[in-house]
Amino acid sequence: MEHLIECDEGKYFNLVTAIQEPCVEIPEATRVIDELAKELELKSTMENANAIWPSFFARPKRRSAEVFSDIERYAIPGIKTACSNRHDSYVERLVAWRSADSGTPVPQLQNVLARMKKEVKNPAPKSSSYEVSIFSPGLDSGYMSFPCLSHLSFKYDRRSNCLHLTALYRNHTYLSHAYGNSVGLGRLMQFVCRETDVCSGELISISTHADAEIGSGGKSRARRTVALVREILDKRTSEKQAARNVHRDADSTLRG
């Protein structure tokens, strides 16, 4: 947002962001962003995140079969009821992708999990065989309709036993969706990592067209919110650095 606000019309092509700790949500930042969303009558972080991955159903220690069953029984119908103008949802495309002429929906995420669980046990595992399509030719024929998120690409790094995720957006509205989208993708990564017993790596977001939506929220209001979030992040970074210094000094004392 800091970058987009300064761009002409608040828009930019091929904006790439990298999140180093995608499975860590900062509640203070979420509260600030949700306050702005409420003021502008936008969707909350939770609503945007749940559209991608409703983590309530994917709680730790639940069997994956139960998770997917509950998502299909409760989450997908609930999202469709809330967004009656859509024929599908992001989470449905993850677990039951379909095209205009296909008969049986494709359980993409389930297939990725099964393949990755098998590969991580191999001495020479495949790193780049875990793709999930969101866009569906035939169904998604509108100029500006669902979906904005087009594709997900999971990567397994054997050297560090971690999972990376790259998300490709055809259009990404930052004021109303980007933060909640990132939280949802982070929760999805956390679920996949837990199921496959690997660590979380980077979350890369490629917004082929990014829009700060300064016409909706106003540039000054957006700047104010961004400044508050930056302050929270800087404080958190300083605290983490201070904690590292304490551990380093304690370790040096013990060594001495």
Side-chain angles (χ1 to χ4, degrees), residues 87-179:
H87 47 260
D88 274 350
S89 62
Y90 288 120
V91 67
E92 184 169 7
R93 293 290 172 89
L94 291 177
V95 304
W97 186 93
R98 63 194 180 93
S99 63
D101 56 356
S102 70
T104 305
V106 182
Q108 296 189 98
L109 184 59
Q110 297 91 314
N111 292 343
V112 162
L113 279 177
R115 179 177 292 186
M116 191 174 293
K117 285 179 180 179
K118 180 181 177 181
E119 285 297 318
V120 295
K121 296 177 182 178
N122 290 338
K126 302 289 189 301
S127 63
S128 311
S129 303
Y130 319 103
E131 305 298 297
V132 175
S133 293
I134 306 297
F135 180 81
S136 179
L139 284 178
D140 304 323
S141 56
Y143 281 99
M144 299 179 68
S145 60
F146 171 90
C148 287
L149 173 61
S150 300
H151 192 84
L152 296 176
S153 180
F154 292 93
K155 295 291 180 285
Y156 174 61
D157 185 348
R158 175 187 60 80
R159 298 163 300 182
S160 55
N161 190 41
C162 73
L163 176 78
H164 302 296
L165 175 59
T166 299
L168 179 70
Y169 286 85
R170 68 166 181 83
N171 185 54
H172 207 178
T173 47
Y174 264 64
L175 182 71
S176 59
H177 290 87
Y179 182 78

Side-chain angles (χ1 to χ4, degrees), residues 66-82:
E66 295 175 338
V67 171
F68 290 121
S69 175
D70 281 354
I71 284 175
E72 292 192 43
R73 288 177 62 194
Y74 303 115
I76 290 173
I79 292 172
K80 282 186 174 180
T81 299

Side-chain angles (χ1 to χ4, degrees), residues 2-256:
E2 286 174 334
H3 174 73
L4 283 175
I5 289 171
E6 303 307 325
C7 292
D8 185 27
E9 298 182 349
K11 299 179 181 180
Y12 197 79
F13 290 98
N14 296 323
L15 179 65
V16 181
T17 62
I19 302 176
Q20 302 296 321
E21 297 179 276
C23 300
V24 178
E25 182 180 351
I26 303 172
E28 297 89 343
T30 299
R31 280 195 290 271
V32 169
I33 292 168
D34 280 346
E35 285 173 5
L36 179 64
K38 185 177 181 180
E39 184 181 346
L40 299 177
E41 297 183 342
L42 301 172
K43 289 183 179 179
S44 68
T45 296
M46 185 66 74
E47 289 176 291
N48 282 320
N50 282 343
I52 292 177
W53 188 244
S55 58
F56 170 81
F57 298 105
R59 300 183 299 280
K61 298 183 179 180
R62 295 200 76 201
R63 293 189 303 111
S64 59
E66 295 175 338
V67 171
F68 290 121
S69 175
D70 281 354
I71 284 175
E72 292 192 43
R73 288 177 62 194
Y74 303 115
I76 290 173
I79 292 172
K80 282 186 174 180
T81 299
C83 304
S84 56
N85 60 326
R86 291 184 184 176
H87 47 260
D88 274 350
S89 62
Y90 288 120
V91 67
E92 184 169 7
R93 293 290 172 89
L94 291 177
V95 304
W97 186 93
R98 63 194 180 93
S99 63
D101 56 356
S102 70
T104 305
V106 182
Q108 296 189 98
L109 184 59
Q110 297 91 314
N111 292 343
V112 162
L113 279 177
R115 179 177 292 186
M116 191 174 293
K117 285 179 180 179
K118 180 181 177 181
E119 285 297 318
V120 295
K121 296 177 182 178
N122 290 338
K126 302 289 189 301
S127 63
S128 311
S129 303
Y130 319 103
E131 305 298 297
V132 175
S133 293
I134 306 297
F135 180 81
S136 179
L139 284 178
D140 304 323
S141 56
Y143 281 99
M144 299 179 68
S145 60
F146 171 90
C148 287
L149 173 61
S150 300
H151 192 84
L152 296 176
S153 180
F154 292 93
K155 295 291 180 285
Y156 174 61
D157 185 348
R158 175 187 60 80
R159 298 163 300 182
S160 55
N161 190 41
C162 73
L163 176 78
H164 302 296
L165 175 59
T166 299
L168 179 70
Y169 286 85
R170 68 166 181 83
N171 185 54
H172 207 178
T173 47
Y174 264 64
L175 182 71
S176 59
H177 290 87
Y179 182 78
N181 290 163
S182 298
V183 171
L185 290 171
R187 292 174 180 175
L188 174 61
M189 284 183 71
Q190 190 172 44
F191 171 73
V192 175
C193 288
R194 190 167 63 233
E195 288 292 310
T196 55
D197 197 25
V198 303
C199 302
S200 62
E202 280 189 330
L203 169 58
I204 303 296
S205 174
I206 303 174
S207 305
T208 56
H209 180 255
D211 185 355
E213 301 175 283
I214 55 178
S216 300
K219 188 177 285 190
S220 60
R221 192 155 29 183
R223 276 202 179 103
R224 187 167 62 248
T225 299
V226 169
L228 287 171
V229 174
R230 170 59 66 189
E231 185 178 325
I232 291 168
L233 295 178
D234 288 345
K235 180 181 178 183
R236 183 172 183 271
T237 300
S238 298
E239 289 173 348
K240 288 178 67 176
Q241 184 59 52
R244 281 195 292 266
N245 291 340
V246 168
H247 288 304
R248 183 196 61 200
D249 293 343
D251 185 59
S252 297
T253 300
L254 288 173
R255 289 173 183 270

